[in-house]
Amino acid sequence: MRKMNFFAGPSTLPVEVLEQLRDNMVDYHGKGLSMIEASHRGGMFEEMYDECLADFRRLLSIPDDYDVYFLGGGATLQFTMIPMNFLLEGKSADYVRTGSWANKAADDAAKLGNVNIAFDGKESNFTTLPDPASVKPSEGACYYYLCSNETIGGIEWQDFPDTGSVPLIADMSSDILSRPVDVSKFAMIYGGVQKNLGPAGATFIIMRHDMLDRRNPGLTAYMDYAKHAKDKGLYNTPPVFSIWAVGLVLKWILANGGAEGMLAHAIEKSGYIYDVIDSSDFFRSPVDKRCRSRMNVVFRLPSEELEAKFVKEAEKEGMLGLKGHRSVGGLRASLYNALPMEDAASLAQFMKEFERRNG
Ligand SMILES: *Cc1c(COP(=O)(O)O)cnc(C)c1O
């Protein structure tokens, strides 16, 4: 029997997708070989890949003047590639420090150029985000960088700032396709696929084509977005298995109401957990209500002993991955797209029972 999977990443995938992978692993739809044995040049891989990119465009209504492709290296490689390409000599870029992931990106960028910290969540212990309406990028900034959902801290931008002529760049690793997004507000959206879109390996890149005109000269081949844009990410060997699975997950999302459908599910699933937290003095949410994440619900119990007990007993009930990230402690339930509604309801029920026994 499958467990209830609340891991933060890699994380749960639709069981239908796992079954399709299994059924076609050895012989891909009667072609006589596996997708992961085929050349990435032409043939069955490119046919599958083109469909995957088209589905991704369709799901997010990505405008035609954006390039869409997948790279390797994880979201983390982008912390370097973005400033290498777009942080120009003698200029600066705006970064927010909103938690683990935005902070890492800001730290990497600061090694490569001038970084202006537009917001620092340190005083609040990274439990809140800027009010989007108040965001004003610095004059002449190369770009404004944010992370749409801080996977570890459990805070999520509910709306995005209007940065005018300053390109807006967002890491959407952990909430991509959990809601509709107006892509045209962004110059670039990227993320690792291993939270909401598939198994680890691929990183999606969505970039307005004219960003390529702004990049630094003299980049090495892999670091140069223009090389990847020109060949839809096939400059070198792509993470074939991951992309194959992402293609299947995108079809699953299309069949389940698209981005709107995922949002409705996310509201309902996270609602189960936040309702329990809000109606109790036993559970506590450390984050600003205004920016509560629908993907990663972070909560605390009255003591660390009770938190450890909670994790242990939940595991016995078949609920995995509820321990908070080692850097912040506490508890975290990740409720990505593929997590069944019943699993969120079961967790809420378990929380109530745990409080009754220990509160
Ligand atoms: C997981 C995660 C990353 C890191 O992704 P890797 O693929 O491991 O490099 C970056 N940003 C966010 C928001 C994440 O959730």
Side-chain angles (χ1 to χ4, degrees), residues 73-76 79 101 147 149 151 171 173-174 192 194-195:
T76 302
F79 299 168
W101 295 115
C147 171
N149 181 64
T151 321
D171 172 0
S173 293
S174 53
Q194 71 271 25
K195 277 80 184 218

Side-chain angles (χ1 to χ4, degrees), residues 49-67:
Y49 188 44
D50 288 343
E51 211 169 305
C52 168
L53 296 176
D55 286 341
F56 203 25
R57 282 186 181 276
R58 193 166 138 212
L59 279 163
L60 282 170
S61 308
I62 301 174
D64 288 344
D65 57 333
Y66 284 67
D67 294 310

Side-chain angles (χ1 to χ4, degrees), residues 76-117:
T76 302
L77 177 60
Q78 301 306 308
F79 299 168
T80 294
M81 281 181 75
I82 290 163
M84 266 195 174
N85 278 262
F86 303 128
L87 183 46
L88 306 180
E89 183 86 38
K91 297 185 100 183
S92 69
D94 285 353
Y95 276 77
V96 290
R97 295 185 69 87
T98 55
S100 307
W101 295 115
N103 297 2
K104 282 188 179 175
D107 291 345
D108 277 351
K111 293 199 171 122
L112 295 168
N114 296 326
V115 162
N116 170 51
I117 299 301

Side-chain angles (χ1 to χ4, degrees), residues 18-47:
L18 295 173
E19 286 166 354
Q20 283 171 286
L21 291 169
R22 177 199 62 200
D23 293 347
N24 292 285
M25 177 56 76
V26 176
D27 183 358
Y28 184 80
H29 296 288
K31 302 263 188 202
L33 76 169
S34 176
M35 177 58 78
I36 59 174
E37 300 175 301
S39 166
H40 61 291
R41 303 283 171 210
M44 65 195 233
F45 172 79
E46 274 202 70
E47 202 175 295

